[in-house]
Amino acid sequence: MRTLECRERERERVTFALGETSGQSPTQGMPLGNLTSQFFANIYLNKLDYFVKHTLRAKYYIRYVDDFVILHKSKEQLTIWKEQINNFLIDELKLELHPDKSKIIPISHGVDFVGFRNFYHFKLLRKRNIKKMKRRVIAFSKADLSYSEMMNSFQGWCAHSKWANSYKLRKEILKSIHKAKQEYKNNRK
């Protein structure tokens, strides 16, 4: 069960209240990733946390902002909980589960959560995350990025990627950065 999606009328109420304080018009809302939106999501979805933990008594429930995961050995139980959670969200919070993103899958397939594909004993980076970093290395090799821009990007990416099982990948990408830098120096001679 994944990302929640606000109904338009609830979004209008929240953005109207925030529009005056943030300097934005009421129809713009807050940018994705804005700390204020994360803060309000945590406050607003606190009722969901209590419902899942105390009413449904789900033992393995994890939520980060508007993403959540519930683990259970029974697919039937998860199906029942999914319906109960969707009803609770509609009735109590005027929200609903995203129909395409909320799904019940075996953990052996990997659960896409907080930027990683999480498996039982390990976690991997999302493929698009790896591709994006490799595209930045290509841009650096074509001199579209400076070395300092490339290293700043790489260091930020490493801070995230180190939480996954990615040691060899990080070494490989760093090696390709140094190779591109060396080729650049050789071409300038």
Side-chain angles (χ1 to χ4, degrees):
M1 292 177 225
R2 302 277 302 143
T3 306
L4 303 172
E5 190 172 79
C6 246
R7 289 185 178 175
E8 197 58 37
R9 64 180 172 202
E10 199 61 33
R11 177 178 285 180
E12 288 172 8
R13 279 189 222 152
V14 173
T15 54
F16 179 73
L18 295 172
E20 294 176 348
T21 58
S22 65
Q24 296 178 337
S25 76
T27 57
Q28 277 185 315
M30 288 180 285
L32 286 175
N34 184 306
L35 292 176
T36 310
S37 63
Q38 293 175 18
F39 174 75
F40 283 121
N42 283 330
I43 291 172
Y44 196 68
L45 294 174
N46 186 50
K47 286 183 181 180
L48 174 64
D49 298 340
Y50 275 90
F51 176 74
V52 172
K53 292 301 282 181
H54 298 287
T55 304
L56 300 181
R57 298 191 180 277
K59 188 173 180 181
Y60 301 106
Y61 166 72
I62 306 161
R63 181 175 66 83
Y64 180 77
V65 188
D66 65 343
D67 283 353
F68 67 92
V69 174
I70 300 174
L71 304 174
H72 196 276
K73 60 185 171 186
S74 167
K75 183 176 181 178
E76 292 77 24
Q77 182 62 62
L78 289 170
T79 305
I80 292 166
W81 282 347
K82 181 179 176 183
E83 183 66 31
Q84 290 175 322
I85 288 169
N86 200 38
N87 290 337
F88 173 82
L89 290 170
I90 290 168
D91 296 341
E92 299 293 323
L93 300 177
K94 309 300 183 235
L95 299 171
E96 60 188 73
L97 293 173
H98 192 289
D100 300 331
K101 294 181 180 179
S102 60
K103 42 189 143 176
I104 298 170
I105 58 168
I107 199 165
S108 61
H109 293 174
V111 177
D112 190 4
F113 185 64
V114 295
F116 300 97
R117 289 180 301 141
N118 298 275
F119 296 87
Y120 190 75
H121 291 290
F122 62 96
K123 60 185 157 189
L124 301 174
L125 289 167
R126 289 177 176 155
K127 289 179 183 177
R128 69 176 179 249
N129 183 290
I130 297 167
K131 286 179 185 177
K132 185 178 178 182
M133 189 65 217
K134 287 183 176 181
R135 281 194 301 269
R136 290 194 65 83
V137 173
I138 290 168
F140 170 65
S141 68
K142 294 178 180 177
D144 293 340
L145 288 175
S146 71
Y147 180 72
S148 66
E149 288 172 322
M150 181 68 241
M151 289 312 293
N152 285 339
S153 179
F154 178 72
Q155 288 170 352
W157 180 80
C158 273
H160 173 73
S161 66
K162 73 178 180 182
W163 295 101
N165 299 79
S166 63
Y167 177 75
K168 288 181 182 177
L169 175 66
R170 286 181 281 136
K171 274 183 74 170
E172 172 192 316
I173 289 178
L174 184 60
K175 189 175 180 179
S176 63
I177 292 169
H178 289 303
K179 181 180 176 187
K181 181 182 177 186
Q182 193 60 42
E183 287 173 4
Y184 177 75
K185 283 182 178 180
N186 291 342
N187 290 337
R188 287 183 61 192
K189 290 180 183 180

